[in-house]
Amino acid sequence: MSRLDFVRSRIAPARQRLLAHPLYGRMSSLDDVRLFMCSHVFAVWDFMSLLKRLQRDLTCVSIPWVPVGDAEVRFLINEIVCGEESDVDPQGGRIAHFDLYLRAMREADANTSAVDKALASVRAGGSTASALLSAGVPVGAAAFSGATFALAKTGKSHEVAAAFTFAREDLIPDMFTELVSRLSREYPGKLDTFRYYLERHIEVDGGHHGAISLRMVELLCGDDDHKWAEAAAASVAAIEARVALWDAITGELRSQA
């Protein structure tokens, strides 16, 4: 068994629970998708902090510049950063995936007040913990992002890379994409950008970026069995945190019904 297959085998049970989560079957209306977006946007936000932690560790982002680490790793992380921060929007302009998600929320008339307040708090110098606490963030989303920011701050580079790779890519099942496509047809102009976001995520993050990320984990863990074990544990914990987030959103949907 390859070391990547070892990680895949460790995460398989949690990954299957996530992909088969009842949340997807529970959502059926535009209001349901709006509620989902109000929590999921925080996962889109904190994803960038994992990425920036990796860029900080694996490339040089200080002045004066000096060569840092392995050139192959530098290339891999910088390519992902470029794609996440400067992708193409439906009109052909440049946009970050997070900004694209916010645009999708506003187009769908989803409430962005919590994420807007959290961003404002951080921009004003507040911590992510205080921002998540004071901005009216849904409880499940606050717990999920709190764990992500903690990993981004204190995790080891190979743990962050593994969680980034195995717990963030290729975890949106086809049934969810089909639901959004159907609702986009039923409510023209409300979910077009969200559908584009999902399709772009699958095309870029789950495809090309996913392959790059796997190579990055291999390079960071090398032949160190202990690092591979830590990478697997971090990946399982991150997927379990996503399952807990889905549980929380499912509970909100039941309360909304």
Side-chain angles (χ1 to χ4, degrees):
M1 178 185 294
S2 74
R3 288 182 165 96
L4 285 176
D5 285 338
F6 162 73
V7 177
R8 291 188 181 102
S9 69
R10 288 283 303 275
I11 69 173
R15 187 176 187 276
Q16 183 55 38
R17 285 197 299 277
L18 182 63
L19 291 174
H21 199 281
L23 169 66
Y24 305 111
R26 174 63 183 77
M27 286 192 292
S28 60
S29 69
L30 180 58
D31 282 343
D32 293 339
V33 174
R34 286 169 175 151
L35 188 148
F36 171 85
M37 295 173 82
C38 289
S39 286
H40 185 236
V41 66
F42 289 94
V44 179
W45 177 35
D46 65 34
F47 170 87
M48 290 303 300
S49 288
L50 292 177
L51 178 56
K52 285 298 181 177
R53 161 64 194 278
L54 291 169
Q55 187 181 34
R56 187 188 72 185
D57 286 359
L58 305 177
T59 75
C60 183
V61 293
S62 60
I63 299 172
W65 180 90
V66 293
V68 172
D70 183 271
E72 180 72 8
V73 174
R74 292 198 300 266
F75 172 79
L76 297 177
I77 196 67
N78 283 330
E79 183 168 345
I80 296 173
V81 169
C82 182
E84 293 293 337
E85 286 194 320
S86 308
D87 202 6
V88 179
D89 71 7
Q91 293 74 41
R94 290 294 173 184
I95 192 169
H97 284 184
F98 176 73
D99 290 327
L100 183 64
Y101 200 95
L102 286 180
R103 182 188 296 180
M105 289 184 70
R106 293 178 180 121
E107 180 180 270
D109 298 323
N111 188 346
T112 65
S113 62
V115 69
D116 290 339
K117 289 176 182 177
L119 289 171
S121 176
V122 170
R123 284 177 176 138
S127 67
T128 53
S130 63
L132 293 170
L133 183 65
S134 64
V137 179
V139 174
F144 177 85
S145 287
T148 303
F149 287 127
L151 175 64
K153 184 176 181 180
T154 64
K156 300 173 183 177
S157 294
H158 57 279
E159 293 173 325
V160 175
F164 178 91
T165 299
F166 291 103
R168 294 299 185 123
E169 310 293 353
D170 192 29
L171 289 176
I172 297 177
D174 291 341
M175 63 181 295
F176 181 65
T177 307
E178 290 168 4
L179 166 67
V180 173
S181 295
R182 175 178 65 79
L183 290 173
S184 181
R185 292 191 296 270
E186 292 179 8
Y187 300 93
K190 290 296 183 184
L191 291 174
D192 295 352
T193 300
F194 189 42
R195 182 176 63 180
Y196 175 86
Y197 168 86
L198 293 173
E199 291 170 351
R200 192 66 182 157
H201 176 83
I202 292 168
E203 177 184 351
V204 177
D205 295 354
H208 183 52
H209 284 181
I212 292 174
S213 299
L214 289 171
R215 179 60 179 151
M216 179 172 59
V217 173
E218 286 184 309
L219 289 169
L220 286 173
C221 290
D223 294 324
D224 190 324
D225 289 339
H226 183 64
K227 285 185 177 180
W228 280 104
E230 290 181 327
S235 300
V236 171
I239 296 174
E240 293 286 9
R242 181 67 68 101
V243 172
L245 174 59
W246 273 198
D247 288 344
I249 297 174
T250 302
E252 291 176 32
L253 287 170
R254 291 195 182 108
S255 299
Q256 176 179 269

